[in-house]
C-alpha cells in the first residue's frame, strides 16, 4: 500500500517521478487504500485511438462502501455533511457518517422499491439540500447511474438531458430558494416531462412546503417513498469500469454531451487529489461553495471529501445573501480550514468592500482554492491578502468535467505560488503543450494547446450514447493525446498558466456554454435569421456573451426585441446563459466558403477594432464596417 498524502515539495517531486516512471505500480499502491470486493487483474489497459481506457481491470467494488461503511467503525460519530441553509436564521443540519449511511440506505431501498435497478439512469434536479447528496449516493449504492442537472437549467434543457440519458426517474423538489429568488422546480420538471417518455416515476421532496400538483401514478413524495424503507441496503457490487454517473457539459457543437465517469478510477483519483491539493487533516472542516449540479460539486463536495472521511459543508445559498459577508460569516461560524470557490465569486465579493471580510474571524483558514476559470492577478492578491490574511496558500485548480478531478494545481501550503499560474501537474498527470502542427513545445513561456499524453484514473470513458463523439471531440485533434480545448503556457520551472479556451466555448461565471448552443437558442426567435455569439472579457463574470443577430425584417423596437431574445434563451437553456449584449446587424462577416469569421466579432465585442486583421477573404467586407460602427 502506498500512502496517499504527499507532505513536502521534495516529496511531490519524487512521487511525480514515480507516477510517471511506473504508473501501474503507483496507482495500484494508491488503490490499496480502498476496500474492494475483488482486486484488479491489471491496473491499466489503454489506447487513445478508440479511445478505450480501463483502470483496475477486473476489480469489483462499490464506491459508497468506501465513503460510508468503511468509516463507520472509526468515524461513525464524525460529521460528514454540515448543511447551511439559504436563510441565515434557519437551523443548519448535520449528518454524521452513521446518519448519512442510514439516510442513504433508506433512500436506496426506496429507489429499489420504486423499480430502479442497476444501470438505470436517474436524473436529479434539486436545490443544494442534503437530499441531493443522499440521492446521489443512494444511486451509487444500487448501481443506478445519476445524472445531476443544475437547477438553473430550463425545462427545455432539462428535457434534452433526460431524453439523451433515457432516464427512468427524476428526483426533484417543489421549488428552491436561492438568495431571494424562488424557482418552481416541480413545474419545470412537469413541463420537461411532456416530451420525455422514458420517465416512469418522479420523486418530489418538499423543500418549501408548497402546495403543488402531483400527477397520480407518476409522482410520489419523498417522505412517502421512504416510508418503511429504513434499514441497511446492501451495496451493489460494481465492475471497476461500470458507469458511475453522467454529467452533461457544453462543447463546440450544439448539443451538450453526457460525460461518463466510471467507478474505480474516479474513486481513486478524487480521493487522492482532494487529500493532496487541500492537505486535509482529520479534524479539519472543509468547504467548497460549488453546486453539486457541476463537476466540482460531484468531485469535491461529495466524492473526494467523503471518501477521505472529511467533514464537508454544503451551502444552499449565494455569496451575497443576505449580504456580501455571508461566505466569511460561514467560514467563521464553522471555523473552516479549507475553502474553495470560483474567481467570479472572489471578484464580486472584492467589489463589495473589504469591511465584509474584515468583520469576520477567518483565522481558521489554512488553504484557499480557486476553480473553474482563470484567476486574474488582482483577484488573486485580494483573495490571498484579505481572505487568506497573507497566511494561506492559494491553490488554483485547473481541470474539467471530462478530467473528473484536479489536474494542475498547487498542493496545500508547500508548493511555490505564482499569481495567475495554476501550478504543477498532480502525480500521474502528463500535460504537454502542442503547436498547431502537433509537435510538443519544449521551450518555456511559449503558448500552446494543452493536451495530456497518458491516461489518469478519472479520465472520461465516453460520451453517453455516442462514443464516436468522444473520440472526435477529445482524441482526434492530435493522435495519441487527450485534447483539453485550453491554451496554456509553461514557465522555466515547469509551472502552467492556463490562458483560456481555444475552441468555441465561453466560460461565464465559471459556467460553460458552447457558442452554437446559445446561437441555436437565439435562432428559435421568430424574427431571427441567424446569429453569432462570442465571449468578451467581463470584470466579474470573467466572460460575458455578445450576440450578433440578423433578423428577417427591420427591427422597429430594438429594446423589445432584445428582451424577447433573452426570453427565448432563458427558455431554451436557462437564465444563466443570457447574452449581455445583443447587436442587430444586417449580415455576419463570412468567408467565401460561408464560415463566420469569429475572430472579427471577438475583436468588436472586446472593443478592440484598431486591428481587425486580414479581412480580404470576406465575402462582403462592408458588413464589418457596419458592425464596427454600430458596436455596443
Ligand atoms: C474549463 C472546464 C474545473 C471544474 C469546473 C469547471 C476552465 C477550469 C480553471 C482554472 C483556468 C480553468 C478551462 C476548462 N477552467 N478551471 N483553474 N484556471 N481555467 O469545469 O465546466 O468542465 O470547465 O474551465 O477552460 O477547460 P468545466
Amino acid at each position: 500500500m502506498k500512502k496517499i498524502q504527499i507532505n513536502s515539495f521534495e516529496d511531490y517531486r519524487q512521487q511525480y517521478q514515480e507516477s510517471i516512471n511506473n504508473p501501474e505500480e503507483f496507482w495500484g499502491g494508491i488503490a490499496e487504500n480502498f476496500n474492494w470486493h475483488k482486486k484488479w487483474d491489471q491496473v491499466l489497459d489503454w489506447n487513445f485511438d478508440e479511445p478505450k481506457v480501463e483502470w483496475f481491470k477486473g476489480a469489483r467494488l462499490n464506491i459508497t462502501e468506501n465513503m460510508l461503511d468503511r468509516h463507520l467503525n472509526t468515524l461513525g460519530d464524525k460529521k460528514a455533511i454540515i448543511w447551511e441553509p439559504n436563510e441565515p436564521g434557519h437551523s443548519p443540519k448535520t449528518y454524521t457518517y452513521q446518519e448519512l449511511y442510514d439516510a442513504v440506505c433508506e433512500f436506496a431501498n426506496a429507489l429499489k422499491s420504486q423499480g430502479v435497478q442497476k444501470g438505470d439512469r436517474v436524473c436529479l434536479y434539486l436545490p443544494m439540500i442534503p437530499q441531493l447528496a443522499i440521492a446521489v449516493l443512494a444511486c451509487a449504492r444500487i448501481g443506478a447511474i445519476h445524472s445531476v442537472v443544475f437547477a438553473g437549467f430550463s425545462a427545455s434543457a432539462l428535457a434534452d438531458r433526460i431524453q439523451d440519458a433515457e432516464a427512468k426517474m427524476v428526483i426533484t423538489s417543489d421549488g428552491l430558494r436561492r438568495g431571494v429568488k424562488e424557482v418552481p422546480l416541480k413545474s419545470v420538471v412537469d413541463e420537461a416531462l411532456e416530451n420525455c417518455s422514458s420517465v416512469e416515476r418522479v420523486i418530489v421532496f418538499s423543500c418549501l412546503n408548497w402546495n403543488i400538483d402531483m400527477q397520480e401514478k407518476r409522482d410520489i413524495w419523498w417522505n412517502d417513498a421512504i416510508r418503511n424503507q429504513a434499514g441497511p441496503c446492501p451495496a451493489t457490487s460494481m465492475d471497476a469500469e461500470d458507469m458511475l454517473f453522467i454529467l452533461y457539459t457544453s462543447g463546440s457543437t450544439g448539443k451538450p454531451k453526457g460525460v461518463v465517469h466510471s467507478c474505480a478510477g474516479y474513486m481513486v483519483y478524487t480521493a487522492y487529489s482532494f487529500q493532496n491539493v487541500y492537505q486535509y487533516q482529520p479534524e479539519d472542516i472543509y468547504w467548497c461553495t460549488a453546486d453539486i449540479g457541476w463537476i466540482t460539486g460531484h468531485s469535491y463536495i461529495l466524492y473526494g471529501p467523503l471518501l477521505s472521511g472529511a467533514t464537508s459543508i454544503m451551502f444552499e445559498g449565494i455569496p451575497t445573501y443576505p449580504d456580501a459577508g455571508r461566505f466569511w460569516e460561514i467560514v467563521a461560524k464553522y471555523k473552516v480550514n479549507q475553502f474553495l470557490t470560483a474567481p467570479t465569486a472572489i471578484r464580486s465579493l472584492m467589489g463589495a468592500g473589504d469591511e465584509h471580510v474584515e468583520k469576520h474571524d477567518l483565522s481558521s483558514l489554512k488553504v484557499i482554492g480557486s476553480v473553474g476559470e482563470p484567476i486574474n492577478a488582482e483577484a488573486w492578491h485580494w483573495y490571498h491578502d484579505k481572505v487568506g490574511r497573507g497566511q494561506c496558500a492559494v491553490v488554483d485548480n485547473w481541470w474539467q468535467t471530462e478530467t473528473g478531478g484536479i489536474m494542475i494545481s498547487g498542493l496545500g501550503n508547500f508548493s511555490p505560488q505564482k499569481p495567475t499560474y495554476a501550478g504543477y501537474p498532480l502525480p500521474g498527470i502528463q500535460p504537454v503543450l502542442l503547436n498547431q502542427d502537433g509537435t510538443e513545445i519544449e521551450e518555456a513561456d511559449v503558448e500552446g494547446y494543452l493536451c495530456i499524453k497518458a491516461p489518469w484514473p478519472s479520465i472520461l470513458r465516453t460520451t453517453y450514447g455516442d462514443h464516436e463523439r468522444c473520440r472526435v471531440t477529445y482524441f482526434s485533434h492530435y493522435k495519441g493525446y487527450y485534447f483539453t480545448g485550453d491554451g496554456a503556457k509553461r514557465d522555466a520551472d515547469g509551472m502552467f498558466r492556463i490562458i483560456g479556451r481555444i475552441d468555441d466555448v465561453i466560460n461565464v461565471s465559471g459556467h460553460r456554454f458552447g457558442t452554437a448552443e446559445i446561437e441555436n437558442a437565439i435562432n428559435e426567435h421568430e424574427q431571427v435569421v441567424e446569429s453569432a455569439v462570442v465571449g468578451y472579457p467581463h470584470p466579474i463574470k470573467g466572460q460575458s456573451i455578445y450576440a450578433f443577430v440578423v433578423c428577417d425584417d427591420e427591427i422597429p423596437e430594438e429594446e423589445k426585441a432584445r428582451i424577447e431574445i433573452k426570453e427565448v434563451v432563458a427558455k431554451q437553456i436557462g437564465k444563466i446563459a443570457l447574452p449581455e449584449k445583443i447587436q442587430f446587424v444586417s449580415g455576419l462577416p463570412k468567408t467565401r466558403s460561408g464560415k463566420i469569421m469569429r475572430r472579427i466579432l471577438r475583436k468588436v465585442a472586446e472593443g478592440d477594432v484598431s486591428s481587425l486583421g486580414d479581412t480580404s477573404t470576406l465575402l462582403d467586407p462592408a458588413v464589418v464596417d457596419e458592425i464596427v460602427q454600430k458596436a455596443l
Side-chain angles (χ1 to χ4, degrees):
M1 174 148 64
K2 192 169 180 53
K3 78 171 177 38
I4 291 183
Q5 218 159 49
I6 298 168
N7 48 33
S8 69
F9 195 59
E10 296 72 58
D11 191 14
Y12 158 74
R13 290 276 196 210
Q14 194 187 331
Q15 299 295 322
Y16 187 80
Q17 257 330 304
E18 278 181 32
S19 74
I20 303 308
N21 295 346
N22 202 338
E24 297 207 32
E25 194 179 310
F26 182 87
W27 290 112
I30 297 293
E32 296 280 356
N33 287 279
F34 299 87
N35 288 353
W36 303 85
H37 299 162
K38 174 181 176 289
K39 292 261 172 79
W40 47 94
D41 305 317
Q42 190 183 346
V43 175
L44 172 63
D45 192 11
W46 68 290
N47 73 72
F48 273 177
D49 297 330
E50 289 177 61
K52 185 167 178 138
V53 178
E54 293 169 286
W55 281 95
F56 311 108
K57 208 169 166 173
R60 298 198 73 84
L61 75 154
N62 184 288
I63 197 168
T64 69
E65 280 183 334
N66 283 283
M67 302 165 82
L68 301 170
D69 313 49
R70 184 164 64 111
H71 302 315
L72 292 184
N73 275 337
T74 47
L75 306 173
D77 295 331
K78 181 177 175 174
K79 289 171 184 152
I81 291 179
I82 300 175
W83 177 71
E84 171 71 16
N86 181 56
E87 301 300 326
H90 290 181
S91 315
K93 184 152 175 54
T94 63
Y95 287 79
T96 63
Y97 273 91
Q98 181 68 50
E99 287 164 344
L100 186 60
Y101 167 86
D102 292 341
V104 168
C105 284
E106 178 183 56
F107 193 64
N109 286 330
L111 289 178
K112 282 201 289 195
S113 75
Q114 297 300 324
V116 179
Q117 293 175 353
K118 182 180 174 199
D120 286 344
R121 276 79 56 213
V122 176
C123 173
L124 313 188
Y125 187 68
L126 281 161
M128 278 288 285
I129 53 176
Q131 286 69 28
L132 174 52
I134 292 165
V136 164
L137 299 196
C139 286
R141 185 92 184 160
I142 62 171
I145 298 160
H146 57 79
S147 163
V148 183
V149 176
F150 175 64
F153 279 112
S154 68
S156 156
L158 175 63
D160 286 345
R161 287 156 178 78
I162 292 172
Q163 285 162 4
D164 188 79
E166 295 177 281
K168 190 169 177 180
M169 176 184 274
V170 178
I171 304 173
T172 190
S173 67
D174 43 359
L176 73 70
R177 191 174 289 140
R178 209 186 271 137
V180 293
K181 283 194 200 137
E182 291 183 342
V183 185
L185 295 186
K186 173 61 164 53
S187 327
V188 178
V189 169
D190 286 340
E191 190 186 331
L193 292 191
E194 284 169 19
N195 301 308
C196 301
S197 54
S198 59
V199 175
E200 293 166 10
R201 250 284 165 289
V202 179
I203 298 185
V204 188
F205 183 76
S206 171
C207 183
L208 300 173
N209 260 318
W210 287 353
N211 194 359
I212 53 163
D213 285 340
M214 293 288 278
Q215 233 185 66
E216 222 187 314
K217 294 205 176 111
R218 191 195 69 184
D219 303 348
I220 177 169
W221 288 103
W222 176 291
N223 285 344
D224 292 331
I226 60 172
R227 191 159 296 134
N228 302 324
Q229 299 296 342
C233 171
T236 299
S237 190
M238 306 291 283
D239 184 272
E241 284 299 332
D242 275 342
M243 264 183 219
L244 174 62
F245 66 83
I246 307 171
L247 186 59
Y248 284 85
T249 190
S250 301
S252 326
T253 48
K255 211 172 96 173
K257 39 184 177 290
V259 168
V260 171
H261 284 289
S262 62
C263 295
Y266 181 81
M267 170 176 83
V268 169
Y269 195 75
T270 52
Y272 179 83
S273 52
F274 169 72
Q275 287 173 49
N276 281 307
V277 170
Y278 285 90
Q279 288 293 306
Y280 185 84
Q281 302 302 315
E283 300 305 316
D284 287 346
I285 307 287
Y286 162 85
W287 180 23
C288 164
T289 71
D291 192 291
I292 293 172
W294 312 109
I295 191 70
T296 306
H298 282 60
S299 301
Y300 299 111
I301 295 178
L302 294 180
Y303 285 108
L306 298 181
L307 283 162
S308 310
T311 299
S312 179
I313 296 181
M314 194 176 159
F315 176 42
E316 187 185 25
I318 56 168
T320 48
Y321 177 77
D323 62 42
R326 187 72 191 276
F327 272 4
W328 321 127
E329 183 203 318
I330 298 173
V331 168
K333 177 172 169 186
Y334 296 109
K335 301 195 169 48
V336 170
N337 304 106
Q338 291 93 359
F339 175 76
L340 168 59
T341 197
T344 186
I346 298 170
R347 287 187 295 260
S348 95
L349 296 177
M350 176 170 80
D354 293 353
E355 64 277 12
H356 289 291
V357 188
E358 285 159 0
K359 226 169 36 202
H360 300 282
D361 176 9
L362 305 184
S363 59
S364 56
L365 289 173
K366 296 191 283 194
V367 178
I368 54 180
S370 168
V371 65
E373 37 167 337
I375 178 165
N376 51 309
E378 193 192 359
W380 192 97
H381 284 292
W382 183 81
Y383 197 38
H384 178 262
D385 298 348
K386 294 293 166 186
V387 177
R389 308 161 334 277
Q391 289 166 24
C392 300
V394 174
V395 291
D396 179 0
N397 308 158
W398 175 82
W399 57 297
Q400 311 176 296
T401 305
E402 295 86 341
T403 69
I406 300 166
M407 304 286 280
I408 297 178
S409 174
L411 302 186
N413 39 29
F414 53 73
S415 0
Q417 296 182 61
K418 188 164 161 183
T420 74
Y421 278 72
Y424 296 92
L426 264 67
I429 308 304
Q430 299 189 53
V432 293
L433 299 173
L434 298 186
N435 271 327
Q436 189 102 42
D437 66 11
T439 51
E440 289 188 19
I441 300 172
E442 304 292 344
E443 309 93 286
D445 303 317
V446 178
E447 203 177 316
Y449 299 148
L450 180 60
C451 293
I452 321 280
K453 215 172 166 160
W456 59 99
S458 62
I459 186 174
L460 86 160
R461 299 304 197 264
T462 190
T463 43
Y464 191 79
D466 191 352
H467 192 64
E468 178 61 6
R469 189 159 178 216
C470 172
R471 189 189 69 76
V472 170
T473 312
Y474 306 106
F475 299 93
S476 70
H477 291 75
Y478 299 106
K479 195 176 154 45
Y481 296 93
Y482 165 82
F483 178 74
T484 67
D486 281 315
K489 59 185 184 185
R490 182 179 43 213
D491 72 8
D493 300 325
M495 262 186 152
F496 282 85
R497 177 183 189 171
I498 312 300
I499 315 280
R501 300 291 303 201
I502 47 168
D503 53 7
D504 294 323
V505 167
I506 308 181
N507 191 327
V508 184
S509 302
H511 301 160
R512 179 172 156 183
F513 301 103
T515 49
E517 183 186 5
I518 300 170
E519 288 159 8
N520 290 346
I522 293 175
N523 298 350
E524 289 289 312
H525 185 282
E526 268 200 336
Q527 269 180 287
V528 173
V529 177
E530 61 174 341
S531 59
V533 154
V534 296
Y536 69 98
H538 183 280
I540 290 174
K541 299 176 182 177
Q543 277 188 301
S544 236
I545 299 167
Y546 194 126
F548 298 87
V549 178
V550 182
C551 291
D552 55 5
D553 256 323
E554 267 306 278
I555 298 286
E557 289 179 68
E558 291 200 349
E559 260 331 291
K560 186 165 160 277
R562 285 195 181 96
I563 291 169
E564 284 170 10
I565 288 174
K566 286 185 186 175
E567 277 166 7
V568 179
V569 175
K571 190 163 184 297
Q572 295 291 321
I573 307 174
K575 288 201 180 113
I576 49 177
L578 292 187
E580 183 123 339
K581 293 187 178 174
I582 300 173
Q583 180 180 351
F584 295 102
V585 296
S586 61
L588 296 170
K590 288 188 184 167
T591 61
R592 279 169 230 280
S593 58
K595 208 168 160 327
I596 297 171
M597 276 180 107
R598 287 176 192 276
R599 177 173 59 76
I600 293 178
L601 296 178
R602 255 180 237 125
K603 288 269 182 195
V604 173
E606 285 163 13
D608 172 21
V609 292
S610 54
S611 57
L612 287 179
D614 181 17
T615 53
S616 60
T617 55
L618 283 178
L619 188 62
D620 178 11
V623 296
V624 176
D625 298 336
E626 180 215 298
I627 289 174
V628 169
Q629 270 164 27
K630 288 176 48 189
L632 300 171

